[in-house]
Amino acid sequence: MGQPHPPLRAPQDRRPLLGGVRRWITVAAGALALTAALVAAGPPASAASLTPVTGFGTNPGNLSMYAYVPDALPVGAPLVVALHGCTQSANDYYTHSGWPKFADRYGFATVFPQTSGANNANSCFNWFEPGDSARGRGEALSIKQMVDEAIARYGSDPGRVFITGLSAGGGMTANMLAAYPDVFAGGAVDSGLPASCADSVTAAYICMYSPPDRTPAQWGSLVRSAAPAGTTSWPRVAIWQGTADTTVRPANATELRDQWTDVWGTGQTPSRTESLPGGTTRSVYVDAAGRPAVEVYSISGMAHGLAVDPGSGAEQCGTAGTYYLDTICSSYHTALFWGLDGDGGAEEPGTLPAPTGLTVTATTGSTASLSWTGVAGATSYAVLRDGTKVATTRSTVYTDTGLTTGTAYGYTVAAVDSAGAAGPASAEVTATTTGFTPTCHTASNYAHTVAGRAYADGGYAYAQGSGQAMGLWNTFTTRTLQQTAPGHYVVTDSGCPA
């Protein structure tokens, strides 16, 4: 999103403003609006450049259209739509994201929609407004009209149209995939939110900080209800999320995974996991044909933003700047997932069946021991903790170490064949280590309440469990809470003990 606040409409919004709660949120968001200038960089080496396009339709969402089309692009090439975050612009995303590099390399047109302060006080796409994110309405329809214009103008292949976006653009991307599965073959949600997570500014806050913990079926139903009746073909979805994101919490990636794996009917256990550069773990969920349908990229230690990797290498891209974070080139891996490099994104999964009988045999404060039934033909087994591969073993027993006390972990095991390919994962088991580890949390009083660490009463916040006064319930007052027991927090602004 490029913002630590819910995106707001400007005062001239065509809808009536909400009451006192919305006015308070508007003031808070305005105080937190970002003003940092983005670092500029030159476009890729090509005669082509980012060009404004006008007259692309009725444009009910009042958006601007910009396009980058490589020189001599042939008819029938793919099309990528890329949505910027809050406080950003089409040119910012064009400059920093790396998409022009791969448009030149693989041969596809790119469209960069742009919103403005006339639509939203922070130049965010209005992903949380049903009137702007539903099929045939507002900004969503304007983006669809841009796709239609690009197909007509550049001869793009209507069967290979993809959409991606950062934060607010990511939230809008999820909604566009749900509303227009007949238009988009794939999407990528970068530091974004599930489709139909919010329908108001207040709900946007909740989704950002503490998304609703719905079941996969409930999340999937939101997609199915947004799509045209009778839809049976769905876009392939990549989900990118930093583990240290405090603006759009990592829980959103989990809910996004649940949402789209339910739509695809793959289940929530990954078929395989892989380690990528930049501390990135990729979890793959394949369809009935063995092709990746949903992929989740978790970047260890990355804060809120789009993952880029400046440099001239084949897998590098982009320019670092505000909310463009030097970790891994997300655009490159997304392009491969969509098959823009020409291979269709197909990958060969292992052929061995999933192991059975996975059991937790023992736990301590820092270890979990597992055992399972062997699979004929397996040369080894991949052990996955919470979807991330942690070990390869030739045995049918394994003890995971270095765990946190009093914490639940989900484990699965996959059989690896002689070619080194892992088959489907086993059913998941949960191992909970013994003991309890005190944890510290520094955040605004508002964030503490939505996370369940505090509660509000009469405009003031109080620590959950201890009831200690924390001051005004707002986004400006920041306190540190230590969890000393399950559900019990105390104020420790001087710092938590080691």
Side-chain angles (χ1 to χ4, degrees), residues 128-140:
F128 58 94
E129 294 279 10
D132 271 319
S133 59
R135 185 181 178 95
R137 302 182 68 181
E139 293 178 357

Side-chain angles (χ1 to χ4, degrees), residues 269 354-355 358 411-413 425-429:
T269 301
L358 179 61
Y411 288 94
T412 56
V413 179
S426 66
E428 185 178 78
V429 296

Side-chain angles (χ1 to χ4, degrees), residues 79-422:
L79 172 67
V80 172
V81 179
L83 305 178
H84 64 77
C86 295
T87 75
Q88 298 175 340
S89 67
N91 187 63
D92 294 328
Y93 216 62
Y94 163 79
T95 298
H96 292 281
S97 66
W99 278 112
K101 173 176 179 175
F102 301 112
D104 286 334
R105 178 189 296 178
Y106 299 133
F108 56 84
T110 47
V111 167
F112 294 87
Q114 178 175 290
T115 186
S116 68
N119 277 17
N120 181 289
N122 298 302
S123 296
C124 310
F125 288 101
N126 289 307
W127 60 274
F128 58 94
E129 294 279 10
D132 271 319
S133 59
R135 185 181 178 95
R137 302 182 68 181
E139 293 178 357
L141 180 54
S142 290
I143 295 170
K144 165 60 166 57
Q145 290 175 347
M146 293 183 198
V147 171
D148 293 339
E149 177 67 21
I151 291 173
R153 184 179 292 235
Y154 311 124
S156 301
D157 181 353
R160 291 190 293 165
V161 179
F162 305 89
I163 186 168
T164 182
L166 168 63
S167 200
M172 183 61 84
T173 292
N175 287 330
M176 292 296 294
L177 293 171
Y180 292 101
D182 51 334
V183 173
F184 299 105
V189 181
D190 295 87
S191 302
L193 307 101
S196 300
C197 186
D199 57 6
S200 68
V201 174
T202 303
Y205 256 124
I206 295 171
C207 287
M208 289 164 60
Y209 291 122
S210 183
D213 185 19
R214 299 186 174 108
T215 66
Q218 289 171 329
W219 280 119
S221 292
L222 292 174
V223 171
R224 288 183 284 270
S225 63
T231 297
T232 58
S233 180
W234 301 100
R236 300 178 185 276
V237 183
I239 301 161
W240 289 83
Q241 180 70 49
T243 63
D245 192 337
T246 58
T247 300
V248 175
R249 302 284 177 163
N252 282 283
T254 301
E255 305 305 333
L256 272 162
R257 178 208 64 187
D258 289 354
Q259 183 171 64
W260 290 100
T261 53
D262 179 79
V263 168
W264 275 91
T266 67
Q268 287 70 57
T269 301
S271 303
R272 60 188 178 277
T273 61
E274 302 166 6
S275 295
L276 299 178
T280 305
T281 298
R282 179 174 79 149
S283 300
V284 182
Y285 304 79
V286 301
D287 63 13
R291 294 184 60 212
V294 178
E295 293 190 346
V296 180
Y297 297 78
S298 177
I299 307 173
S300 179
M302 192 183 87
H304 186 66
L306 181 72
V308 298
D309 184 16
S312 58
E315 299 184 9
Q316 292 182 290
C317 74
T319 305
T322 305
Y323 299 106
Y324 298 94
L325 306 179
D326 187 354
T327 50
I328 183 175
C329 175
S330 58
S331 299
Y332 168 75
H333 291 279
T334 297
L336 296 190
F337 170 57
W338 289 339
L340 295 180
D341 61 337
D343 73 355
E347 298 184 32
E348 292 297 327
T351 58
L352 296 178
T356 59
L358 179 61
T359 304
V360 179
T361 57
T363 59
T364 68
S366 60
T367 67
S369 297
L370 310 168
S371 70
W372 58 92
T373 303
V375 174
T379 59
S380 63
Y381 298 90
V383 181
L384 295 84
R385 181 208 310 142
D386 294 332
T388 300
K389 181 179 175 181
V390 294
T392 299
T393 177
R394 295 185 177 184
S395 174
T396 56
V397 296
Y398 176 73
T399 297
D400 196 14
T401 61
L403 306 179
T404 302
T405 58
T407 303
Y409 297 94
Y411 288 94
T412 56
V413 179
V416 179
D417 61 25
S418 58

Side-chain angles (χ1 to χ4, degrees), residues 14-29:
R14 58 184 176 269
R15 301 181 184 80
L17 293 177
L18 297 177
V21 172
R22 181 154 184 167
R23 285 195 297 272
W24 172 83
I25 295 174
T26 302
V27 172

Side-chain angles (χ1 to χ4, degrees), residues 23-53:
R23 285 195 297 272
W24 172 83
I25 295 174
T26 302
V27 172
L32 291 171
L34 302 176
T35 57
L38 297 172
V39 179
S46 169
S49 61
L50 188 67
T51 304
V53 179

